[in-house]
Amino acid sequence: EVYLVESGGGLVQPGGSLRLSCAASGFTFSSYWMAWVRQAPGKGLVWVSHIYSDGSDSSYADSVKGRFTISRDNAKNTLYMQMNSLRAEDTAVYYCARIADTPAEIDFWGQGTLVTVSS
Amino acid sequence: QPLLTQSSSSSASLGSSVRLTCTLSSGHSAYTIAWHQQQPGKAPRYLMRLEVSGDFNKGTRIPDRFSGSSSGADRYLTISNLQSEDEADYYCETWDSDTQVFGTGTKVTVL
């Protein structure tokens, strides 16, 4: 069975940094594109970034471009998101997600980790 | 980049059926989409992939009550024999090589 388990969320001050991790199991991690999707309190789902299966390329939403960096370690079956220069509007639950094909829909979701940016 | 339009809410009685609509933007009417369910306080769950032809493929352990269909730029999710646990937000999603795009979601209330 597919499992995606996020960690690393928490409270951070504006301008601060945080690194999220997503541990994957139950499938061949190195064969799949992976994504981060966020959801601000009471709002809808918003794609943040995705990365190719081999880590050779990635894409970002305009709202995080230049501040967030997605990466992966296929030997550790782990996806990362380095978040710098955090703003109040980055406050959200961040979900790790598997992309079914290249490219395709998201077909598995993690349980999410909450990031709160506040002074 | 494709855009997806969903109505904000829908309601139906326990045991009845409800059909949700997701409309693709002009020039993107042939795109494949996916439907996701998000129950209150939970992570989203993948329901199905839905092609322009109306063919759909459901995710793991999705009940038979959930089905999909298509007409032009519209993609539908039908929930039959509505149950209390179907009260949730439903999001459609599409994609290209550079991005995933979500609709704004439809809140389904079971009366």
Side-chain angles (χ1 to χ4, degrees):
Chain A
E1 190 162 349
V2 172
Y3 286 101
L4 300 171
V5 180
E6 301 95 332
S7 60
L11 175 64
V12 61
Q13 292 188 337
S17 298
L18 214 53
R19 189 175 87 151
L20 306 182
S21 299
C22 171
S25 61
F27 65 103
T28 305
F29 180 72
S30 59
S31 296
Y32 289 85
W33 289 19
M34 297 294 295
W36 289 99
V37 176
R38 70 184 182 184
Q39 186 172 37
K43 303 296 185 182
L45 302 172
V46 176
W47 169 79
V48 174
S49 178
H50 67 227
I51 187 169
Y52 285 15
S53 56
D54 62 0
S56 62
D57 201 0
S58 56
S59 292
Y60 298 90
D62 287 344
S63 58
V64 306
K65 204 171 291 184
R67 300 187 299 122
F68 289 13
T69 303
I70 191 171
S71 63
R72 63 192 297 161
D73 185 335
N74 285 346
K76 295 182 177 180
N77 291 342
T78 303
L79 176 72
Y80 302 100
M81 177 63 83
Q82 178 66 43
M83 303 187 296
N84 298 331
S85 302
L86 283 161
R87 307 166 180 167
E89 55 264 35
D90 295 318
T91 294
V93 174
Y94 285 74
Y95 294 103
C96 166
R98 189 182 85 168
I99 294 174
D101 209 332
T102 56
E105 76 273 24
I106 287 169
D107 68 347
F108 280 99
W109 297 82
Q111 87 287 351
T113 188
L114 176 62
V115 172
T116 303
V117 184
S118 174
S119 54
Chain B
Q1 174 178 316
L3 297 175
L4 300 170
T5 301
Q6 297 183 252
S7 57
S8 59
S9 64
S10 182
S11 61
S13 299
L14 191 69
S16 68
S17 295
V18 65
R19 189 175 80 167
L20 310 183
T21 304
C22 174
T23 302
L24 286 149
S25 54
S26 177
H28 302 93
S29 60
Y31 274 48
T32 298
I33 73 151
W35 284 103
H36 303 273
Q37 176 196 60
Q38 187 176 33
Q39 295 171 321
K42 293 190 174 182
R45 176 174 71 150
Y46 171 69
L47 294 178
M48 68 179 67
R49 175 188 181 105
L50 175 59
E51 310 275 354
V52 63
S53 62
D55 290 341
F56 61 94
N57 288 292
K58 293 194 290 188
T60 308
R61 291 188 288 276
I62 302 302
D64 292 342
R65 304 184 289 103
F66 291 85
S67 62
S69 58
S70 296
S71 177
D74 291 333
R75 306 286 180 268
Y76 305 107
L77 173 69
T78 299
I79 311 172
S80 304
N81 188 21
L82 205 59
Q83 301 297 301
S84 57
E85 61 264 30
D86 299 331
E87 187 159 289
D89 294 323
Y90 291 84
Y91 294 91
C92 55
E93 174 206 6
T94 194
W95 58 90
D96 60 22
S97 60
D98 297 319
T99 185
Q100 317 286 125
V101 177
F102 291 95
T104 50
T106 298
K107 182 177 183 61
V108 169
T109 301
V110 179
L111 303 174

